[in-house]
Amino acid sequence: QVQLVESGGGLVQAGGSLRLSCAASGRYTFSISAMGWFRQAPGKEREFVAAIDWTGRSTGYADSVKGRFTIARDNAKSTLYLQMNSLKSEDTAIYYCAQARSSIVAAYSVAHLYDYWGQGTQVTVSS
C-alpha cells in the first residue's frame, strides 16, 4: 500500500520561508505518478496549491501562490517538496500531499483524481 508522510510545517513570520517534504513508501510507484499539494484553512474547503508530472519537468500552480511557491520532486528518494517563499497570513492551513493514479493528470487541480493522501502538516503564518 502507498503511504505518504508530510513534514516541515510550523510557525513562520509573514514574509518568511518554509519547505515542506512528503515521503512516499513506494519508490517505484511514486516515480511514475503525478503528485500534488493541496491545503485546507479553518472554515474553508480544500483547495489546490501545486502539481508536478512524473518527470518533474512540468508543473502547475494556483494563481494565489504562483511566483512564491515552487514544487519539486526527487524520484530517487521518493520525496515531494514544496518550497514556500514570501509567506502571507492567508497561507495558513493544513497542507496535504497527494499521489495521482497516472503519470500525467490533465485536470491536475481536481482533488478526486488523486488516489493517495498524506496526513497533513500544519503551516501557520503570523503577521
Side-chain angles (χ1 to χ4, degrees):
Q1 296 295 311
V2 173
Q3 184 175 20
L4 304 174
V5 180
E6 301 97 332
S7 63
L11 176 65
V12 64
Q13 291 278 358
S17 298
L18 207 60
R19 189 193 196 196
L20 305 183
S21 297
C22 174
S25 62
R27 173 178 292 188
Y28 297 105
T29 299
F30 175 90
S31 296
I32 61 173
S33 300
M35 301 291 296
W37 286 99
F38 292 77
R39 68 186 182 186
Q40 186 167 22
K44 303 291 185 180
E45 294 187 344
R46 179 177 53 188
E47 66 175 357
F48 167 76
V49 176
I52 189 167
D53 80 333
W54 73 285
T55 70
R57 294 191 290 271
S58 181
T59 59
Y61 298 91
D63 289 340
S64 60
V65 307
K66 194 173 298 182
R68 299 188 298 119
F69 290 11
T70 302
I71 188 172
R73 67 191 298 162
D74 186 337
N75 286 346
K77 297 180 179 179
S78 297
T79 303
L80 178 73
Y81 303 98
L82 184 67
Q83 178 66 48
M84 305 184 293
N85 298 326
S86 302
L87 284 163
K88 307 173 181 179
S89 60
E90 53 261 44
D91 294 319
T92 295
I94 299 175
Y95 284 71
Y96 300 90
C97 67
Q99 181 173 319
R101 68 190 71 177
S102 63
S103 58
I104 301 174
V105 178
Y108 51 76
S109 65
V110 180
H112 76 258
L113 296 180
Y114 295 81
D115 284 346
Y116 305 101
W117 296 80
Q119 83 287 356
T121 185
Q122 177 70 50
V123 172
T124 302
V125 183
S126 63
S127 59

